[in-house]
Amino acid sequence: MTRFALTVEYDGRPFMGWQRQAHGPSVQQAIEEAVATITGETTICHAAGRTDAGVHALGMRAHVEIAKPIEPFRLMEALNARLRPAPVAILACEQVADDWHARFSCTGRSYEYRIANRRAPLTFEKGLAWQVPQPLDAEAMHEASQRLVGRHDFTTFRSAHCQSASPVKSIDRMAVAREDDHVTVRVAARSFLHHQVRSMVGCLALVGMGRWSADDLGEALAAADRARLGLNAPPDGLFFVSATY
């Protein structure tokens, strides 16, 4: 049995998320079915993170185990051929040690959230960015975002359906920057709670609109109360960027 690490890019719009679902298609299912078609084997594709419905990935890391002898490059090419026309691409494939695990060996994950700050409707970016028509102060958002960096109880920014054992997480880096009519939020941590990034971005957007101050954000964090959440951003603009090991 050989374990292969995959780097996966996907457009999350057609999927119910990464994880297999009984009520709709998933990225995991698409890859597992492609492996089955190529090898005749049933396998489980484990990922570094479980993205929600409509969330995208630029470099998700995952792994599968295959008994049939096959070279990594041939497996990558075969998977990409079988995955068409689904918007999923295997960017890299390599053989790894039997104890390497895409999720449990991961020491860091990074995301970015893309906001289209304009009044005109989105055309090419529809479903790939959150459109916010009100002017956003990206500098104020960045300043406020530093209140979230470090180790905190993130209950306020945690989904009621989160399965994590603890609401305490450590944000390593967070930055907000504007380029023309786009505002991008980048965040890195060892791990995240369910909806944490979207919830943090939603509240930072309130700061950018002038409806919240940095102190309001800090108070919401300190409250450790989901009822104090100001806004949960939609999945459209969220991208899993990379995983580190």
Side-chain angles (χ1 to χ4, degrees):
M1 191 73 72
T2 303
R3 183 166 293 196
F4 295 94
L6 309 174
T7 302
V8 189
E9 177 185 86
Y10 55 86
D11 178 344
R13 286 176 289 185
F15 301 106
M16 300 303 297
W18 167 270
Q19 194 171 14
R20 270 188 177 267
Q21 305 286 337
H23 56 284
S26 68
V27 181
Q28 181 185 32
Q29 178 184 359
I31 296 173
E32 290 173 353
E33 290 180 352
V35 171
T37 301
I38 295 162
T39 66
E41 300 172 29
T42 299
T43 187
I44 297 176
C45 187
H46 300 273
R50 297 177 179 178
T51 54
D52 290 333
V55 176
H56 322 290
L58 301 176
M60 176 62 74
R61 293 283 275 169
H63 79 261
V64 294
E65 287 190 324
I66 297 173
K68 178 181 179 179
I70 187 170
E71 293 297 318
F73 180 77
R74 289 192 61 195
L75 176 60
M76 180 180 70
E77 292 287 279
L79 285 172
N80 283 329
R82 294 296 180 180
L83 284 165
R84 297 188 186 102
V88 181
I90 309 302
L91 304 181
C93 177
E94 59 186 309
Q95 185 176 335
V96 291
D98 292 344
D99 62 352
W100 187 91
H101 196 286
R103 179 183 176 191
F104 298 119
S105 299
C106 186
T107 58
R109 298 161 174 86
S110 66
Y111 285 85
E112 70 176 38
Y113 195 100
R114 302 174 182 179
I115 301 172
N117 190 202
R118 72 185 210 188
R119 296 190 62 82
L122 299 185
T123 53
F124 298 112
E125 290 184 292
K126 188 174 184 180
L128 298 173
W130 176 26
Q131 183 184 6
V132 176
Q134 303 95 322
L136 292 175
D137 183 339
E139 291 185 6
M141 292 171 66
H142 175 76
E143 181 181 347
S145 74
Q146 302 313 294
R147 303 287 186 102
L148 303 172
V149 175
R151 186 173 177 83
H152 305 285
D153 181 332
F154 282 97
T155 297
T156 301
F157 304 92
R158 179 188 193 184
S159 165
H161 303 292
C162 182
Q163 298 178 356
S164 179
S166 170
V168 177
K169 295 291 179 182
S170 294
I171 298 296
D172 298 326
R173 300 182 304 279
M174 197 165 191
V176 183
R178 172 182 288 279
E179 184 175 350
D180 299 325
D181 60 358
H182 284 73
V183 174
T184 304
V185 182
R186 296 181 174 89
V187 58
R190 183 180 181 89
S191 61
F192 293 89
L193 301 168
H194 189 208
H195 282 186
Q196 183 181 352
V197 176
R198 289 169 53 190
S199 295
M200 293 189 299
V201 169
C203 292
L204 287 174
L206 293 178
V207 173
M209 296 173 195
R211 292 167 56 185
W212 271 26
S213 66
D215 287 340
D216 291 328
L217 180 68
E219 290 170 7
L221 173 65
D225 180 358
R226 182 67 174 176
R228 293 291 300 275
L229 179 72
L231 180 63
N232 193 41
D236 307 43
L238 185 58
F239 290 75
F240 183 101
V241 176
S242 64
T244 54
Y245 294 88

